């Protein structure tokens, strides 16, 4: 590989953004000037959506209006739910089902057919509707797959609490609702990651918002981007099932050349700030349940890998045990990631097409040259 070739676009700047910034050496994440710690502690997911989409935190009246608009958009057309039902009964992968359903939403979207692809107001409404409907789709798919009927969304619950209600059929307590809301805040945006880049590549062609989000979901489905928290929880369950000391387990795993999920990051060189916050919430959930098993197992593995290998945990390492202790099925962890990150995808689409340029990179050709080949007609081959 030549020195000027940036495989995976590593370090290549392709856009300017006011949405989020990461300092991988300091372990900092900032949304529009606000630290992730402040937002996770003091802002709801709806407030963060408003911040990403409108450039500022809402006042109480703006937030009330915004939340009502989200509530009004939660219902999903019965034809889409029917397709979700078919996918669930066919045991489709949850991310594939979500990708299909989000693409299908466009057939029932009320946006004007003659709207310009750069119409800011239309795109904002479309993005809001998609964001509001994704939790309904995920919850319906999960319940149908598990032999239960979908639960209709409630108008009196916030975004996070309503999802847990639709998923489980009962209103979550304040602690669970708060933890889940915080998890959504933490995952809402993260710079120009792979799925966000997919979204703006699609948007740069002046395609529609549904297509951009569908592209992003397809990208997040890949195990090198999404899915790590599912792998982490399956790993922790393996440790538990083996009835091994977690320190002994991780040493054995490394000796066998296995990769320990939830460690390392393309951007962070130190502990992911989101992992710090979710680690604290995982501990709180364990204390409330009367067992710190999952938290203590995680910290044992973290301490060893930090001391022996210099590896720091990423957000997936602690979101895994947090979700598990909330009773969330392991295989919908990545759809939940999409449910949160759609806010960032939509925001980046809005931002990029304000000063749009078609994203069209080039590849260096290293194949055969015409002087090295001779064309032979079909009947002579």
């Amino acid at each position: 590989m030549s020195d000027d070739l940036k495989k995976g676009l590593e370090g290549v700047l392709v856009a300017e953004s006011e949405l989020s910034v990461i300092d991988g050496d300091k372990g900092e994440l900032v949304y529009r000037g606000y630290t992730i710690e402040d937002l996770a502690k003091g802002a709801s997911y709806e407030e963060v959506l408003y911040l990403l989409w409108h450039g500022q935190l809402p006042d109480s009246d703006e937030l009330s209006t915004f939340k009502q608009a989200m509530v009004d958009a939660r219902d999903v057309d019965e034809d889409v739910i029917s397709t979700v039902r078919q996918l669930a009964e066919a045991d489709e992968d949850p991310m594939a089902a979500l990708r299909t359903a989000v693409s299908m939403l466009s057939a029932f979207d009320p946006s004007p057919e003659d709207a310009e692809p750069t119409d800011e107001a239309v795109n904002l409404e479309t993005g809001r509707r998609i964001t509001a409907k994704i939790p309904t789709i995920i919850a319906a798919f999960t319940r149908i797959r598990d032999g239960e009927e979908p639960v209709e969304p409630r108008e009196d619950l916030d975004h996070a609490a309503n999802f847990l209600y639709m998923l489980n059929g009962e209103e979550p307590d304040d602690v669970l609702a708060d933890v889940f809301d915080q998890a959504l805040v933490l995952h809402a945006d993260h710079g120009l990651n792979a799925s966000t880049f997919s979204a703006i590549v699609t948007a740069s062609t002046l395609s529609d918002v549904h297509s951009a989000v569908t592209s992003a979901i397809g990208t997040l489905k890949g195990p090198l981007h999404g899915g790590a928290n599912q792998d982490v929880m399956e790993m922790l369950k393996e440790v538990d099932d083996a009835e091994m000391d977690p320190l002994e387990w991780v040493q054995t795993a490394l000796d066998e050349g296995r990769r320990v999920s939830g460690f390392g990051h393309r951007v962070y060189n130190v502990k992911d700030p989101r992992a710090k916050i979710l680690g604290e919430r995982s501990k709180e959930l364990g204390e409330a349940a009367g067992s710190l098993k999952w938290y203590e197992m995680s910290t044992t593995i973290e301490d060893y890998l930090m001391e022996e290998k210099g590896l720091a945990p990423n957000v997936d390492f602690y979101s895994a045990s947090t979700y598990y202790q909330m009773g969330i099925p392991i295989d919908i962890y990545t759809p939940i990631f999409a449910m949160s990150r759609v806010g960032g995808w939509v925001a980046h689409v809005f931002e990029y097409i304000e000063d749009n340029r078609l994203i069209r990179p080039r590849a260096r050709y290293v194949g055969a040259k015409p002087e090295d080949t001779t064309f032979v007609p079909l009947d002579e081959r």
Side-chain angles (χ1 to χ4, degrees), residues 30-323:
V30 173
Y31 296 171
R32 288 197 181 273
Y34 296 94
T35 68
I36 196 62
E37 290 82 4
D38 284 345
L39 291 173
K41 182 179 179 180
S44 66
Y45 181 66
E46 287 93 332
E47 288 175 83
V48 168
L49 286 180
Y50 193 97
L51 171 67
L52 291 173
W53 295 353
H54 295 280
Q56 61 187 24
L57 288 169
D59 61 28
S60 58
D61 289 340
E62 290 168 334
L63 180 60
S64 178
T65 300
F66 181 78
K67 290 173 71 172
Q68 186 59 52
M70 290 286 290
V71 167
D72 292 343
R74 286 175 178 168
D75 286 332
V76 173
D77 191 278
E78 187 54 42
D79 286 342
V80 178
I81 295 297
S82 178
T83 297
V84 170
R85 185 180 298 277
Q86 294 178 52
L87 294 170
E89 292 173 347
D91 200 27
E92 176 63 287
D93 177 88
M95 280 296 283
L98 179 62
R99 179 193 61 209
T100 300
V102 168
S103 179
M104 190 176 178
L105 288 177
S106 67
F108 306 94
D109 192 86
S111 298
E113 292 185 5
D114 60 349
E116 292 294 325
T118 55
D119 188 314
E120 183 178 350
V122 170
N123 287 336
L124 183 60
E125 291 298 298
T126 302
R128 175 180 54 76
R129 285 190 290 268
I130 294 171
T131 303
K133 295 177 191 302
I134 283 179
T136 308
I137 291 169
I138 297 171
F141 173 88
T142 306
R143 289 184 64 84
I144 294 168
R145 181 194 60 182
D146 293 344
E148 300 177 300
E149 283 301 301
V151 173
E152 293 293 318
R154 271 175 46 177
E155 296 185 359
D156 60 326
L157 296 176
D158 290 343
H159 194 74
N162 180 65
F163 172 74
L164 295 177
Y165 166 72
M166 291 190 296
L167 184 67
N168 300 316
E170 58 184 40
E171 184 176 345
D173 63 39
D174 291 343
V175 173
L176 291 182
D178 181 63
V179 171
F180 191 66
D181 183 78
Q182 193 173 67
L184 296 182
V185 168
L186 294 173
H187 288 85
D189 197 41
H190 206 242
L192 210 57
N193 54 82
S195 55
T196 299
F197 185 60
S198 289
I200 67 168
V201 168
T202 299
S204 79
T205 70
L206 296 185
S207 188
D208 57 281
V209 179
H210 285 91
S211 294
V213 173
T214 302
S215 294
I217 292 171
T219 303
L220 186 64
K221 182 177 181 294
L224 293 184
H225 184 20
N229 51 8
Q230 178 177 340
D231 293 339
V232 170
M233 197 61 231
E234 290 172 348
M235 176 187 74
L236 294 177
K237 285 174 61 65
E238 180 184 336
V239 178
D240 188 52
D241 292 342
E243 297 183 349
M244 293 176 65
D245 178 271
L247 181 59
E248 179 185 353
W249 185 92
V250 73
Q251 291 171 335
T252 301
L254 292 174
D255 289 342
E256 294 174 350
R258 294 180 59 182
R259 181 180 180 275
V260 180
S261 299
F263 285 83
H265 195 279
R266 187 74 170 262
V267 178
Y268 292 110
N269 299 315
V270 294
K271 186 171 182 176
D272 188 327
R274 301 167 299 172
K276 295 179 182 178
I277 297 168
L278 282 178
E280 295 171 358
R281 301 317 298 263
S282 177
K283 182 180 180 181
E284 290 173 19
L285 290 175
E287 289 173 338
S291 173
L292 288 171
K293 176 177 69 173
W294 301 113
Y295 174 75
E296 291 176 346
M297 190 182 299
S298 299
T299 55
T300 298
I301 295 172
E302 175 189 352
D303 291 344
Y304 177 78
L305 288 177
M306 282 288 290
E307 293 172 5
E308 298 297 324
K309 303 295 181 180
L311 294 175
N314 55 44
V315 67
D316 300 303
F317 189 66
Y318 281 104
S319 66
S321 57
T322 300
Y323 292 160

